[in-house]
Amino acid sequence: MAMHSVSSEPKRFRRRSLRTYPRGMGIMVVFCSFLALSLGPGLLNAYGVYEEEYNRLYDNKDEQEWQGPLGSPVIFIGIIQIFLANGMGFIGGKCAQRFGPGPAVFVGGLLMAAGLFAASYSQKVWQLCLSQGVVFGLGVCLTWIPAASAPSSWFSKDRGVATGVTHMGLGIGGLVFAPITRFLLEKAGTAGSLRWLALIMLVGVSIVSIGIHSKHHEQQVNEIIVSSARWSKCLEEAFEKEYGAEIPETSHAKSTEETSDCLLFKSTDTQRNVQSGKEQESEILEQAKPKHVRFVQELVRQETLDKLEGVAQDSQRRPLPDRYEKPIERRRRRQQQLDSMGVPAKPASRAATHKPTIFKSLRFWLLSLGIGMGQASWYTILLFMTSISVSVGLDVHNAAIVLGAINGASAVGQFAAGYAADLIGPINALVLFTFVATLSNLILFLPGLSFHVLLAYACVCGASIGAADPLTVIAGVMQFGRERAAMTTGLVYGSVGMLVTVMAPCAQVMQHELNRGFRPIYIFVLALFATSTLLLVLLRLRISRKLAFRA
């Protein structure tokens, strides 16, 4: 007897959720994501306050232990934070796709609180690198990308505005935490301030993670889950809504009893009225099937009838336009046209059978390097802004105000970036804002920098380069698909982490070796902004060379 081969591996598929979300769910996700970015990455943007404090506390203590061109090992605390928060962003994106953005943000909040609490007991710079650098940076990594990419799945028309409002949390967090950190340092000391911030991270991120969801997050489920009562109820409601007819009520106990009666009937009355028994048996078995099985069978039957009816009515139907066809169907139809013309078929290549990844796309590398160069210069400014302000004669309070202003201005730019993306396209907006940021760095070369000049620079540069965060997410969605939004954003920010890890120590070396103040850093940052603008212009030309094209 021939046996059919059955795979031992259980069938797995993706279940489309039939649940309805409460009204205004998208707005709640935007609000919670905004708070999550304000608490985690926003505190990272205000790290410059702690760097100035650590330079005062640890430079003389570690002077005999550290001898090198960097001058001070304190800079590595911020570099490790930025590298893990951005360079390891693909980890947060993968966790968001696998477990959902809410659980990823919750675990990130726990890690951030643990890192800050452990840093309060650190006595050496290497201990701060492990606690406030590694542990806190991993927490930001699990918070940033999941919270930043979750709102885009809830909006299709106003996606740019929603993403811009969400990313305002980066600037608002830096604006709020810069003076709060300075206040806590004066009132509670270094260790006390770290413990207070750890408590804020633990409570705040744990609460807001409850409201962060992705509409398109789907988990793989086994076939046994499909037979659950809740899933059957959802399918029954969908069937009634689709066809306007109720499915007969059939409980599992009644189904089992009727099935057993059917088998008994068949065994006792085999010799009498066989045809009538078979009809009753099939009817009883049909009623004994679970509701979701009958729904699927009826749905398949209706779809098959619709297809047959369409073929019968129009057997000479013209093929759909290319934009409505799937790639495989388009290639098959074109090959049939070539065969009818007598053109020999080309041998199938590996590229035709495998879907190209984003790593093979030149647009992805231009976007990654363009954003990476701009963000590397941005984080270099954030790391040195407090020291620059103190070097020109400002006290620590005004230096904290300047650092808060550059973060607050970035929040304005992030909100404006949403409208700009919906109006002229994300790539065009990236080119525009990055070019303005490049021109704004010329302010640093003015003679006699003062508080008001630095404040003006913070507002212009912060508003322009801060727009890159939401535009990066929107550009990734438009260029590489909404289903890979979290992963694409994580990979793009991975280049940011790599470049910051290289560029920030280079700026420190230039300042220490040239011994000409912060002017070498000004030139270095200006060159990075100019390179970022050039790469984004090449990306825009790669997409289209038409000036009026919305890219």
Side-chain angles (χ1 to χ4, degrees), residues 8 74 212 279:
S8 60
V74 173
I212 300 178
E279 293 177 356

Side-chain angles (χ1 to χ4, degrees), residues 48-89:
V49 178
Y50 271 114
E51 184 175 0
E52 179 65 24
E53 184 71 14
Y54 292 155
N55 281 327
R56 184 180 62 85
L57 293 177
Y58 294 102
D59 268 4
N60 296 330
K61 184 182 299 185
D62 295 337
E63 186 176 358
Q64 297 179 354
E65 301 178 5
W66 178 268
Q67 294 293 336
L70 288 175
S72 174
V74 173
I75 190 176
F76 283 106
I77 304 173
I79 291 175
I80 293 173
Q81 286 182 353
I82 297 171
F83 170 74
L84 292 176
N86 295 277
M88 298 290 106

